[in-house]
Amino acid sequence: MNDAPVLKGLVLAGGQSRRMGSDKALLLHDGRSQLAYTMALLGQFTSAAYVSTSKALRDETERASFPQIVDRYDDLGPVAGILSAMDTDPQAAWLVVAVDLPNIDDRTLGFLVESRNAAQPFSAFRSSHNELPEPLCAVYEPSARAIIDDFVAQGIVCPRKIMIRSDTCLLNQPNANALDNMNTPDDLARSDLQVAQ
């Protein structure tokens, strides 16, 4: 894969965490924030890693301690962060990971990076729960930009729907629980994370 575009990392951390009731990026993972843990993971596999954040959260202390890409689009959900990263470097491929994946690990990311198909716009895992693409732990190649723009113009901003309707390289997860996300206090209680004190 020597001719593949350079890979940069993006941790999506711009959400409001309304259902959780506390900032998911600040939950403690082995003594550091979930954001710091995820950024360190991405740093192992990318030439540079950035925090994707909203304008409202850009000055939050933990987010501000890392290189940031601030959303340039409103009301697009995770796609706002992905498009903003692509604006920042249109020639790069982006390894995009949501901040709310407490079980994400280097084995999972390493497999994704090694198995990515740069000839396809998206490389993603099949969900271990329903076989659908997992768009918030995926590689977005430069060619994905025009495809995403077309869907957004049609009012489709769900990255999973975009991948379902596109040429996506789908992979089986090496760790079936790695992409289980965390949205509520009950999810938090079942994880190894803790609320920061």
Side-chain angles (χ1 to χ4, degrees):
M1 181 119 22
N2 293 334
D3 56 349
V6 65
L7 188 62
K8 294 187 174 182
L10 188 72
V11 179
L12 296 174
Q16 295 296 318
S17 304
R18 288 187 186 96
R19 285 182 288 170
M20 179 64 70
S22 60
D23 191 338
K24 293 185 280 189
L26 304 185
L27 296 172
L28 293 180
H29 188 131
D30 294 334
R32 57 185 165 169
S33 72
Q34 178 67 13
L35 177 57
Y37 171 79
T38 310
M39 283 290 289
L41 270 183
L42 261 65
Q44 296 178 43
F45 301 102
T46 60
S47 63
Y50 301 85
V51 175
S52 169
T53 186
S54 63
K55 295 180 185 77
L57 292 172
R58 68 183 302 173
D59 295 326
E60 183 276 316
T61 303
E62 188 72 358
R63 288 170 178 81
S65 69
F66 297 103
Q68 293 183 350
I69 296 176
V70 179
D71 288 351
R72 301 178 182 184
Y73 303 86
D74 297 320
D75 302 320
L76 295 183
V79 165
I82 296 165
L83 290 179
S84 299
M86 290 177 157
D87 285 348
T88 302
D89 189 344
Q91 304 305 314
W94 289 89
L95 174 57
V96 175
V97 177
V99 77
D100 62 353
L101 304 178
N103 303 320
I104 193 71
D105 56 13
D106 53 3
R107 180 179 169 217
T108 298
L109 290 186
F111 184 79
L112 175 59
V113 170
E114 290 166 13
S115 305
R116 125 195 203 214
N117 185 346
Q120 293 174 274
F122 310 100
S123 294
F125 289 110
R126 291 182 184 87
S127 169
S128 58
H129 302 292
N130 58 21
E131 298 288 309
L132 297 175
E134 289 281 8
L136 302 187
C137 179
V139 175
Y140 291 72
E141 302 293 341
S143 60
R145 177 59 194 253
I147 295 168
I148 297 172
D149 283 343
D150 285 346
F151 278 105
V152 170
Q154 299 171 50
I156 298 169
V157 299
C158 171
R160 176 170 281 146
K161 289 180 181 176
I162 292 171
M163 286 189 176
I164 289 170
R165 301 179 190 188
S166 303
D167 179 24
T168 300
C169 171
L170 286 174
L171 307 167
N172 293 320
Q173 294 178 219
N175 172 357
N177 300 317
L179 305 186
D180 290 351
N181 69 351
M182 177 181 52
N183 290 311
T184 67
D186 285 345
D187 295 338
L188 176 60
R190 289 191 293 270
S191 79
D192 291 331
L193 302 188
Q194 300 170 336
V195 176
Q197 300 299 320

